[in-house]
Amino acid sequence: MTQNNQSVYHQKKQLSSEVLKNIINTFNEDKDFIYQEAVLSPISAIVTAVNESHISSDNPIQKLIESIVHILQTQPISYRHMQITKSALAKKPLVMQLLILMQDIVNRGQQSRSQKKLIWLSIAMHTAVVLTHYQKKTHANNIMMQFKLAQFSGSSRRTWIWSELPNIPTMSHDNILSILTNILEKNQESTTELDGKSFITQIKLKEDMSIAIAKLGQIEKIVNAYQDAHYLKIKKPKKPRKAQTDNTKVEPINLAEQKPFYQPHNEHTPYYWDTPFDDIEHSTIPVEINFLAPNTETYEGLTTSFEEIVDNYNEPYIGYEGLPDPLFRQSAPLQTIDISLQQNHMSQRDLGLNSSTSVLSLVGYQVLFAALVHDAKSASQLNYKICASILLLSMITALPIKSLMTKGYIGHRRIFSIGVKRAYIKHTLGITERSEVFDSAKHENEFDEVKIPIPLWLIESLLSIDIPSIDDFNTYLAMLRVNLGLPYLSLKRVQTALHIILSRYTPHSHTHIADIICRTPASHAPAMYYSSHSSETLLGHYKSALSVLNKAGSFDLSYITPWHKYTLGSGLALTSEYVREIIGKLKGWVHDSPDVATHFNRTSIFVWFVFCLLTGVRPNNGIGEISDIDLDMGWLEIDDKPNKQVQNQRLIPLCPTLLRYLTDYRGYLIRYQINNPLEYDISISIDEIRLGVNDVALLRLLSDSFNTLKIIKRGDAYHMTKDIIDANPYWTRHFVRTQLEKLGVDLTLINTVIGHEKARQEGLGCLSSLSKAKTKIVGGAFEHIARILDLHLDSIDNNRL
């Protein structure tokens, strides 16, 4: 292992052979295994032999080889299951595929000259079992798959690794990792050398570059898997970031780290970049405003997550009443006509008129797309071809053109992943990591990474090109404006095209999907962090959007194929089955109260959770003031942001189940008052709640002295129910948001009720075009959630008082 790795990693404790055997025995639960005992026994024997060679220094490598060969000579896989074809192997588990390939080596009598392969395939098998113990399924599959391809494939892109691996390695983890790491570093250097070639030279070496990238991807997966199996990363305290002096440094896209960007008189667009001041379209100087840290409430034992900060962030409203920039006074193109503040508010909603000149028409986008595809493939001038290729890449990925013009950005491994058959760009939402391992029975989402596929022919043509100047782009755009009849064509309109197509013209898609795919920064799209989607769903929306653009049919979309299916989005979103289980435990917890005071407090906490789960409100202190709850009409008026700089009142419909709980709880308080007439302060508080004379919270707890009522804080709910669910109660809001979307509630209604509307959208405010009747529809969805959680079956037990 290299010196650098030694300073970052230390070796894990060696697992015993007995532990590994137990892990292998669990494989028989896999329905794909055939004749489990006959297959699992040799796998267990091989893995045990490798494990023992790591433990004992007296176990020579030749003895290990003899043991492996002897195991395989017993023909553990019957002849009829020894088909070495792609389709036949694919039907079997990977660990069984390795065993078949190893037995095939012995059957062919090649063990004497293929000892290297037997050893390394055995190491891969052993490493995969260890990774299974640590629940690292992806890494386990990666290392088995890469060695399987090295043995099964006839392509030099896969088999090259056998010439790099030593014949008989010393069986120590440090030595094996050092061998693999050296191969990785060697391939990184080779790829970097090819990456630095000029454009003309690169065209000639395109195939070499493709092979180099494939090799690098293969060895990276093997190294990462082996390292994760046998070594533990030492977490060091983070050092303060130094001021970045290298403007060409490429960072991975993490939406949580992007600051908001504002332009006073235009739609908020995170993709724009600075342009010369004499450009009328972009003449307004951008206004940089620091991310306003909201006054989120603090609770003992609870930390404020990133999602909560974004959820409570108040975006400043910027408008104007007088004339705008002086340059506009001398010109009167359609997009610079002065408008009043209210007109500005109305015209810049997400569902603004399609006649807005800040965007092109659908036909305009389609014509532009067809022209870029044609020029990227067959433009006569090299500069035009490169410009068209970069603009096309921006148009289908929403990557900023300014970034694509940065040397070293295109193809950079922290943004792009380029393989032999597939290429894509990737970005992360930046969600808060869970403290526990992903459990599909509990958690909705496994990852937060979004992958956008790109055609190999396009990205390979752009690898390490000589970037044209901005003048070249302006010249090319000027030519397109004339030839296509698009006078408003600009770089901004190219790089925002995907978002517009997804949000306006793609069937079943909307702004929320566009925000996720097009990497809208967190401060502008908090709903992303409260959502749940499958990778296949997002890929389907993306392919539909490109189909809309590709009306001419000149762009081959066959490169967009289904990924490995996984869910992504909120890390705090729980499954409905698990939440129903939590509700059941809370009901039992209330029922088992040892005395009246405990029953009162537990009932209050239970109704508090019901209130959060059937409204989606932010679970902050004092939510549910009695003056804001209309039990007769079934409405809740809520302003649940702790930061009061910007008022955000909204109406939430109360479903029948919640109305019954709140009505019963108010009756519960009155009965407690009747049974405890001498508790004067409590009686006064209950009178205030009963009469609704003051802004007081309905849901209360008995104080520590039992002589007053206090409001429920989130920390109270957390600490009192920690034995049932050890999670920040903010999980309730994540659950409601994901469930409403699963139930097919219109996105505008979801954002209106949850409070995730962007500035100038149609649901909230004095200029709202959304009726109360439409908002009331969400009450039916809340009632459906109540039935999913079995909340409609029970009521508050007054008999305990």
Side-chain angles (χ1 to χ4, degrees):
M1 189 164 48
T2 64
Q3 183 64 31
N4 182 52
N5 279 334
Q6 287 177 340
S7 63
V8 179
Y9 294 88
H10 67 261
Q11 192 170 322
K12 294 179 181 178
K13 183 180 178 181
Q14 178 83 29
L15 296 178
S16 68
S17 297
E18 194 63 31
V19 170
L20 296 181
K21 289 178 182 178
N22 292 336
I23 293 295
I24 295 169
N25 288 335
T26 65
F27 290 172
N28 61 18
E29 299 171 5
D30 190 333
K31 59 180 176 53
D32 293 328
F33 265 111
I34 303 171
Y35 302 113
Q36 288 91 340
E37 290 186 8
V39 175
L40 295 181
S41 178
I43 292 175
S44 182
I46 291 172
V47 169
T48 301
V50 174
N51 203 59
E52 293 298 330
S53 70
H54 284 307
I55 296 175
S56 175
S57 57
D58 298 331
N59 193 1
I61 189 68
Q62 198 57 44
K63 183 178 179 181
L64 173 61
I65 294 172
E66 292 172 0
S67 299
I68 294 171
V69 171
H70 177 72
I71 294 167
L72 295 170
Q73 284 174 338
T74 63
Q75 303 291 319
I77 305 293
S78 62
Y79 175 78
R80 63 195 182 100
H81 294 300
M82 281 294 295
Q83 300 95 337
I84 314 295
T85 65
K86 184 177 181 180
S87 58
L89 287 175
K91 294 177 182 179
K92 301 176 178 65
L94 274 170
V95 67
M96 187 175 177
Q97 293 181 42
L98 289 189
L99 185 65
I100 290 173
L101 293 173
M102 292 169 69
Q103 182 173 321
D104 182 62
I105 292 174
V106 174
N107 288 351
R108 293 172 181 271
Q110 298 175 347
Q111 61 266 30
S112 59
R113 63 176 184 272
S114 298
Q115 292 182 355
K116 175 200 299 188
K117 293 183 178 181
L118 290 176
I119 285 294
W120 284 103
L121 289 169
S122 300
I123 290 172
M125 184 182 290
H126 173 264
T127 303
V129 174
V130 173
L131 286 165
T132 303
H133 172 77
Y134 293 117
Q135 298 182 343
K136 304 286 188 179
K137 185 177 179 180
T138 300
H139 279 320
N141 288 342
N142 278 347
I143 193 166
M144 288 190 291
M145 178 59 76
Q146 299 312 315
F147 275 100
K148 170 216 167 173
L149 292 175
Q151 175 60 20
F152 172 75
S153 174
S155 170
S156 60
R157 296 169 185 257
R158 302 297 183 184
T159 58
W160 66 276
I161 197 168
W162 296 126
S163 62
E164 297 289 337
L165 293 169
N167 287 329
I168 303 179
T170 302
M171 293 301 288
S172 73
H173 293 307
D174 282 354
N175 180 63
I176 292 173
L177 182 58
S178 179
I179 291 169
L180 297 174
T181 304
N182 289 337
I183 298 173
L184 172 62
E185 291 173 352
K186 179 180 177 181
N187 279 271
Q188 285 174 334
E189 292 173 0
S190 299
T191 305
T192 302
E193 290 175 3
L194 283 173
D195 201 44
K197 302 292 184 181
S198 67
F199 175 73
I200 300 299
T201 306
Q202 185 60 51
I203 292 295
K204 298 175 182 177
L205 298 177
K206 183 170 65 174
E207 181 64 23
D208 292 342
M209 186 64 180
S210 178
I211 294 174
I213 292 172
K215 289 182 177 180
L216 187 59
Q218 184 177 16
I219 189 62
E220 274 185 338
K221 290 178 180 177
I222 293 173
V223 170
N224 290 339
Y226 194 85
Q227 197 164 254
D228 208 32
H230 303 296
Y231 292 85
L232 195 64
K233 190 171 183 178
I234 303 171
K235 293 186 177 180
K236 294 186 177 181
K238 293 184 178 179
K239 297 181 180 179
R241 288 187 177 183
K242 296 181 180 180
Q244 187 172 314
T245 56
D246 182 6
N247 293 328
T248 63
K249 186 176 180 181
V250 177
E251 295 289 346
I253 301 174
N254 185 326
L255 301 186
E257 296 178 353
Q258 296 189 25
K259 293 183 178 181
F261 178 77
Y262 301 99
Q263 287 186 301
H265 315 308
N266 297 317
E267 283 288 337
H268 296 329
T269 50
Y271 325 110
Y272 297 178
W273 53 290
D274 300 338
T275 52
F277 186 76
D278 59 359
D279 182 351
I280 291 178
E281 180 189 350
H282 302 96
S283 62
T284 304
I285 299 175
V287 178
E288 287 285 356
I289 297 180
N290 291 331
F291 197 108
L292 300 180
N295 294 324
T296 51
E297 297 169 344
T298 58
Y299 308 88
E300 182 181 354
L302 288 178
T303 58
T304 302
S305 66
F306 165 77
E307 289 84 349
E308 183 180 350
I309 292 175
V310 172
D311 195 38
N312 287 281
Y313 166 66
N314 283 313
E315 182 180 328
Y317 185 82
I318 302 175
Y320 63 87
E321 294 180 350
L323 291 174
D325 189 277
L327 180 62
F328 288 176
R329 300 170 190 261
Q330 310 301 324
S331 61
L334 183 60
Q335 72 266 34
T336 64
I337 295 176
D338 184 37
I339 52 180
S340 70
L341 184 60
Q342 284 194 347
Q343 288 171 323
N344 186 49
H345 180 98
M346 293 171 66
S347 66
Q348 295 188 8
R349 295 177 186 163
D350 256 13
L351 303 178
L353 297 176
N354 290 335
S355 58
S356 169
T357 55
S358 64
V359 299
L360 300 178
S361 67
L362 175 58
V363 174
Y365 284 121
Q366 291 170 337
V367 169
L368 172 63
F369 185 76
L372 293 179
V373 171
H374 174 272
D375 289 352
K377 291 182 176 180
S378 55
S380 56
Q381 296 186 37
L382 181 59
N383 264 5
Y384 278 9
K385 185 173 184 177
I386 298 173
C387 288
S389 298
I390 291 177
L391 293 178
L392 178 61
L393 182 59
S394 176
M395 196 171 186
I396 66 174
T397 62
L399 284 171
I401 295 173
K402 184 178 182 179
S403 298
L404 294 175
M405 291 178 65
T406 302
K407 185 177 180 181
Y409 186 91
I410 296 177
H412 197 284
R413 289 185 293 110
R414 302 187 76 175
I415 306 293
F416 295 80
S417 180
I418 305 172
V420 177
K421 298 181 179 179
R422 175 179 292 167
Y424 56 84
I425 63 168
K426 52 191 175 182
H427 67 275
T428 59
L429 302 181
I431 63 174
T432 301
E433 292 185 7
R434 283 184 294 267
S435 58
E436 55 182 327
V437 176
F438 171 76
D439 183 347
S440 59
K442 294 182 179 181
H443 308 116
E444 287 279 359
N445 302 302
E446 186 174 3
F447 302 109
D448 74 332
E449 186 175 67
V450 183
K451 298 177 180 179
I452 307 300
I454 50 180
L456 271 173
W457 67 266
L458 179 60
I459 190 64
E460 287 180 346
S461 69
L462 292 174
L463 290 173
S464 302
I465 61 170
D466 294 329
I467 304 291
S469 67
I470 187 62
D471 291 336
D472 292 324
F473 278 96
N474 288 335
T475 302
Y476 179 65
L477 281 177
M479 181 271 292
L480 288 179
R481 289 191 194 101
V482 174
N483 292 347
L484 303 180
L486 298 174
Y488 289 116
L489 179 59
S490 65
L491 295 178
K492 178 190 77 173
R493 290 175 175 84
V494 172
Q495 60 196 15
T496 58
L498 181 60
H499 195 283
I500 298 296
I501 296 297
L502 280 165
S503 59
R504 295 191 180 187
Y505 302 114
T506 303
H508 311 299
S509 183
H510 42 63
T511 305
H512 172 63
I513 296 296
D515 286 341
I516 295 175
I517 292 176
C518 298
R519 302 170 305 285
T520 301
S523 57
H524 293 303
M528 291 192 301
Y529 299 85
Y530 293 78
S531 64
S532 174
H533 300 281
S534 72
S535 57
E536 287 184 331
T537 299
L538 292 179
L539 193 64
H541 286 300
Y542 177 71
K543 189 170 185 177
S544 295
L546 293 196
S547 297
V548 171
L549 281 173
N550 189 34
K551 185 177 181 180
S554 57
F555 189 69
D556 184 6
L557 296 175
S558 62
Y559 72 94
I560 305 178
T561 55
W563 307 103
H564 166 67
K565 186 176 181 180
Y566 62 90
T567 52
L568 60 95
S570 168
L572 301 179
L574 304 178
T575 64
S576 56
E577 293 80 7
Y578 184 51
V579 175
R580 183 167 59 245
E581 181 183 328
I582 293 169
I583 293 297
K585 291 180 180 179
L586 287 174
K587 291 177 181 177
W589 175 68
V590 175
H591 181 269
D592 296 338
S593 301
D595 52 59
V596 171
T598 302
H599 186 267
F600 183 97
N601 281 347
R602 289 185 177 181
T603 298
S604 298
I605 291 296
F606 177 71
V607 178
W608 185 88
F609 272 104
V610 172
F611 184 83
C612 292
L613 285 168
L614 298 184
T615 59
V617 298
R618 296 174 175 89
N620 294 325
N621 298 346
I623 54 173
E625 291 184 353
I626 191 63
S627 59
D628 293 334
I629 299 176
D630 189 338
L631 294 177
D632 295 324
M633 300 301 294
W635 286 104
L636 167 69
E637 184 180 56
I638 189 73
D639 180 14
D640 51 4
K641 284 191 177 183
N643 187 348
K644 302 298 183 183
Q645 294 178 4
V646 178
Q647 294 300 309
N648 187 35
Q649 288 94 348
R650 64 187 189 279
L651 285 176
I652 299 177
L654 302 179
C655 67
T657 295
L658 180 57
L659 280 171
R660 177 168 54 81
Y661 270 99
L662 296 179
T663 302
D664 289 352
Y665 182 79
R666 187 173 60 177
Y668 182 85
L669 293 178
I670 294 172
R671 182 157 184 173
Y672 184 88
Q673 182 187 34
I674 294 172
N675 292 345
N676 299 274
L678 299 180
E679 297 179 2
Y680 300 110
D681 290 336
I682 292 178
S683 183
I684 291 172
S685 296
I686 294 176
D687 281 338
E688 291 176 341
I689 293 171
R690 180 171 54 85
L691 300 173
V693 294
N694 292 318
D695 293 336
V696 294
L698 169 62
L699 306 176
R700 300 293 195 90
L701 291 175
L702 289 171
S703 64
D704 294 338
S705 59
F706 302 107
N707 59 358
T708 59
L709 293 180
K710 64 178 184 177
I711 65 172
I712 297 176
K713 295 183 178 181
R714 195 196 314 173
D716 297 323
Y718 168 69
H719 288 295
M720 290 180 66
T721 61
K722 190 174 182 179
D723 291 339
I724 296 174
I725 176 169
D726 188 6
N728 190 322
Y730 226 82
W731 65 263
T732 57
R733 184 162 165 81
H734 290 251
F735 173 76
V736 174
R737 175 63 175 75
T738 55
Q739 291 302 310
L740 289 178
E741 193 163 357
K742 282 188 175 184
L743 292 173
V745 178
D746 183 79
L747 180 69
T748 302
L749 293 175
I750 294 176
N751 288 339
T752 300
V753 170
I754 294 296
H756 276 161
E757 281 218 326
K758 299 179 184 179
R760 300 185 294 280
Q761 284 186 320
E762 71 174 17
L764 301 178
C766 61
L767 301 173
S768 171
S769 62
L770 193 66
S771 67
K772 289 184 179 179
K774 286 186 177 179
T775 307
K776 196 74 171 179
I777 294 174
V778 187
F782 284 133
E783 182 63 21
H784 190 85
I785 293 174
R787 293 181 178 276
I788 290 175
L789 302 180
D790 292 338
L791 286 170
H792 65 297
L793 301 175
D794 298 283
S795 59
I796 295 174
D797 185 5
N798 279 294
N799 297 323
R800 297 298 298 273
L801 298 178

